[in-house]
Amino acid sequence: MNPNLAGAGVAEPDPRALRASRGPKKWRQPPPEVLPAWLAEMDFPAAPVVVDGLRDYLADGLLGYPYWPHGSPVRELFATRMAQRHSWRPPPGQVREFATVTQGVHLALWLATRPGDAVAVHAPLYGPFRAGLARMDRELVPIPMIDGPGGWYWDPERLERDLTRTGCRALLLVNPHNPTGRVFTAGELTALAALAERHDLLVISDEIHADLTYPGHRHIPIASLDPAIAARTVTLTSASKAFNLAGMRCATGHIGPARLRAAIDAQPVELHGAANLLGVQASVLAWQEGDAWLADLLRRLTANRDRLGAALAERLPGITWHPPEASYLAWLDCRALGLGTEPAAHIRQYGGVQLSPGTDFDPGGDGFVRLNFATSDALLEELIDRLARGARPAAPAEVTPC
């Protein structure tokens, strides 16, 4: 471990524990000889304040029905956290909890749009959102992310034309963006808000990676721009990404549109699933007591990101990227390697490392891979070595279990 991070409080991951019977899907799905760097969860154990707090919560064995007459405690806590971190305090009475952010996205689209309606999304895009639109028979209107010298950007004029052409009804915003890692600026968000107003769009903003924004960049909830955009926006987030709590099943959303809020409240109780009791408690612990751990985590992730960037420049000049402005996910352009539209398959076969195929994020993913660098120094070094081997067109020596 980097000695400068020895007191960070972020525990080193144990590959044996990750591979064990209770280990996460990220590690258990691939075979032992393959090093996983695909699914968007960290190898680091959850924050001790969360683990210890849950242990205390479980000590008396009382796990009956919760009594939340005005909604779970994450509603008020979400509003407080938005005020403290982003100078925006949504009314707690307009906040609802969900099992996951993806559930909140799909529920909002299901209730507020109809089959055949068009939904605009920045592309490449998170695969489950594309799949959800297809299953609900909503038309995907891609907002292409453009690879420029200064990073990823999009074209507002093209988007305006596409909105007009398709009669688009909703904008699904992922900010920070997955998979490119872009943190949209105030100017970009203002442009999106203006388009939403002119075209009367519902805005659904997935902000789950916001707490993982790197120094030098600032996350801005689009709903914080002004009351008008807040009134047409669903803002969704969770402690799951930043605090590695994906299995706890708890997300939170501010439902700005009054009609949609009423439609959600009119659904039969738990028809669409509900937040988990322990997930709510874990979220409360993370958001109330975990910010010191989160700051240490960001220092660790910054070091990993920079180390990966140096390795790409020195050892893998055929792979290019724009360092992510948030998240622990690297969107790598492998097109110059000549490995076809799905280089992840070649890299897995010859390097023994599993990355997310870029085609999982189509349109716009051909020739790309997504790499998760939220791991230990030792595993990151092994990951870089395997990536370097797998990126060569010729088969290297056999890989060994990690």
Side-chain angles (χ1 to χ4, degrees):
M1 179 176 176
N2 186 332
N4 295 326
L5 299 168
V10 177
E12 284 289 284
D14 179 353
R16 291 170 300 178
L18 291 166
R19 289 281 191 199
S21 61
R22 292 179 58 243
K25 174 183 177 180
K26 176 189 171 187
W27 277 80
R28 292 188 63 207
Q29 181 168 307
E33 69 273 12
V34 173
L35 180 63
W38 60 296
L39 199 63
E41 64 180 41
M42 298 183 286
D43 290 343
F44 305 117
V49 293
V50 175
V51 176
D52 292 344
L54 287 176
R55 187 178 292 113
D56 292 343
Y57 188 83
L58 290 167
D60 59 15
L62 300 178
L63 296 173
Y65 295 114
Y67 179 60
W68 297 330
H70 305 294
S72 81
V74 295
R75 296 188 182 187
E76 176 66 40
L77 193 53
F78 169 87
T80 300
R81 192 168 182 80
M82 291 297 105
Q84 291 173 343
R85 298 178 75 88
H86 308 298
S87 301
W88 171 56
R89 183 175 173 82
Q94 297 179 4
V95 176
R96 300 294 183 268
E97 53 280 299
F98 303 95
T100 66
V101 164
T102 302
Q103 180 197 53
V105 167
H106 289 157
L107 180 58
L109 287 170
W110 180 258
L111 295 175
T113 65
R114 296 181 297 179
D117 282 351
V119 180
V121 194
H122 288 89
L125 71 147
Y126 180 54
F129 290 160
R130 183 186 65 246
L133 291 172
R135 289 181 178 181
M136 291 188 287
D137 191 24
R138 270 61 169 178
E139 177 188 353
L140 168 64
V141 179
I143 310 170
M145 296 293 285
I146 303 166
D147 187 357
W152 294 99
Y153 69 98
W154 55 279
D155 183 352
E157 294 181 359
R158 171 175 171 160
L159 177 55
E160 176 103 63
R161 293 193 298 270
D162 287 346
L163 294 176
T164 301
R165 174 180 56 82
T166 61
C168 197
R169 300 306 308 136
L171 166 68
L172 173 49
L173 174 64
V174 181
N175 179 37
H177 184 249
N178 178 15
T180 67
R182 267 299 317 279
V183 175
F184 293 117
T185 65
E188 289 173 307
L189 294 172
T190 299
L192 284 171
L195 288 169
E197 292 288 339
R198 283 200 297 275
H199 294 269
D200 191 24
L201 302 179
L202 168 70
V203 179
I204 305 172
S205 187
D206 167 6
E207 304 186 4
I208 196 170
H209 292 275
D211 279 351
L212 296 172
T213 299
Y214 292 108
H217 304 279
R218 183 168 70 95
H219 173 72
I220 303 170
I222 191 171
S224 69
L225 295 178
D226 61 56
I229 190 63
R232 65 171 63 250
T233 298
V234 176
T235 303
L236 293 158
T237 193
S238 171
S240 62
K241 284 291 179 275
F243 293 91
N244 216 26
L245 302 172
M248 298 304 292
R249 312 293 287 178
C250 180
T252 315
H254 171 247
I255 316 300
R259 183 176 298 180
L260 177 57
R261 198 163 58 248
I264 289 173
D265 290 345
Q267 298 299 295
V269 175
E270 297 178 349
L271 171 65
H272 301 281
N276 179 276
L277 169 64
L278 294 182
V280 169
Q281 182 63 17
S283 300
V284 168
L285 290 162
W287 283 351
Q288 283 187 336
E289 304 178 36
D291 281 344
W293 183 90
L294 178 60
D296 290 333
L297 172 69
L298 278 169
R299 286 192 284 271
R300 183 71 178 264
L301 293 178
T302 300
N304 283 9
R305 181 192 62 169
D306 294 348
R307 185 176 176 186
L308 175 62
L312 291 174
E314 294 168 8
R315 301 174 58 185
L316 289 156
I319 298 178
T320 59
W321 77 328
H322 296 292
E325 299 166 355
S327 89
Y328 43 78
L329 304 169
W331 185 238
L332 305 181
D333 185 347
C334 301
R335 289 175 292 182
L337 298 176
L339 303 179
T341 58
E342 281 202 9
H346 181 97
I347 292 169
R348 172 175 165 140
Q349 180 178 356
Y350 295 117
V353 59
Q354 181 161 328
L355 309 173
S356 295
T359 51
D360 286 356
F361 303 86
D362 276 342
D366 287 2
F368 286 79
V369 297
R370 194 189 71 175
L371 180 152
N372 180 337
F373 56 82
T375 191
S376 68
D377 286 358
L379 288 172
L380 181 60
E381 187 62 32
E382 177 69 13
L383 170 59
I384 291 168
D385 288 343
R386 290 181 180 225
L387 179 62
R389 292 202 302 270
R392 295 196 297 260
E398 289 186 6
V399 295
T400 56
C402 59

